[in-house]
């Protein structure tokens, strides 16, 4: 969470894998979608948003309109995202993601700024 706090502004929206205990949740920043189990217990319909998370992680530039529509400021790419993608049988478009400006990284996570300039 310190990586996020230090390198983003408070109103940032960050695309992360929907895990129950994602470290971004401790940063005070918004995630695009939280843990589906928690959304389900509150009676929230999350299917469409979950599909959009998958598209943003897998379709790269072809999902540009989604990044823009939802005001996604950053994409986090780490072990949690890779594990989630594997669970979902998805192939992350890391070739696209890694072309975005790298804002911060640790040995296990990279934070990229969404920019189409």
């Amino acid at each position: 969470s310190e990586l996020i706090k230090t390198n983003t502004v408070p109103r940032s929206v960050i695309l992360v894998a929907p895990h129950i205990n994602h470290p971004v949740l401790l940063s005070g920043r918004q995630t695009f979608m939280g843990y589906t189990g928690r959304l389900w217990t509150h009676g929230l319909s999350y299917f469409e948003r979950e599909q959009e998370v998958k598209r943003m992680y897998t379709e790269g530039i072809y999902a540009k309109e989604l990044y823009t529509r939802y005001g996604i400021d950053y994409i986090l790419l780490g072990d949690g995202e890779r594990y989630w993608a594997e669970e979902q049988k998805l192939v992350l478009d890391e070739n696209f993601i890694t072309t975005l400006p790298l804002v911060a990284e640790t040995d296990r996570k990279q934070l990229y700024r969404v920019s189409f300039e």
Side-chain angles (χ1 to χ4, degrees):
S1 70
E2 284 304 312
L3 175 85
I4 303 299
K5 277 191 214 178
T6 307
N7 294 286
T8 64
V9 295
R11 291 207 171 284
S12 298
V13 178
I14 303 169
L15 182 65
V16 299
H19 287 292
I20 192 167
N21 59 353
H22 205 293
V24 171
L25 299 173
L26 300 174
S27 71
R29 306 304 187 258
Q30 292 181 344
T31 60
F32 176 66
M33 186 179 97
Y35 174 58
T36 54
R38 181 161 291 136
L39 298 171
W40 177 80
T41 61
H42 288 284
L44 300 171
S45 177
Y46 61 85
F47 180 77
E48 183 178 328
R49 188 161 278 216
E50 181 180 36
Q51 297 311 307
E52 291 170 337
V53 169
K54 291 176 181 179
R55 283 187 58 207
M56 285 187 274
Y57 269 115
T58 62
E59 295 181 12
I61 194 70
Y62 301 107
K64 177 181 176 181
E65 55 93 13
L66 291 174
Y67 289 109
T68 303
R69 180 186 328 155
Y70 293 113
I72 305 295
D73 298 302
Y74 298 93
I75 301 173
L76 189 68
L77 187 58
D79 290 344
E81 285 67 34
R82 290 180 181 96
Y83 177 75
W84 167 78
E86 187 177 305
E87 267 186 337
Q88 299 292 314
K89 297 181 178 21
L90 302 172
V91 177
L92 299 177
D93 189 347
E94 293 193 42
N95 289 330
F96 163 73
I97 295 169
T98 59
T99 66
L100 298 171
L102 180 64
V103 174
E105 69 180 318
T106 66
D107 58 336
R108 312 218 31 122
K109 293 182 184 85
Q110 298 81 39
L111 181 66
Y112 296 92
R113 185 172 51 83
V114 175
S115 174
F116 297 107
E117 300 166 3

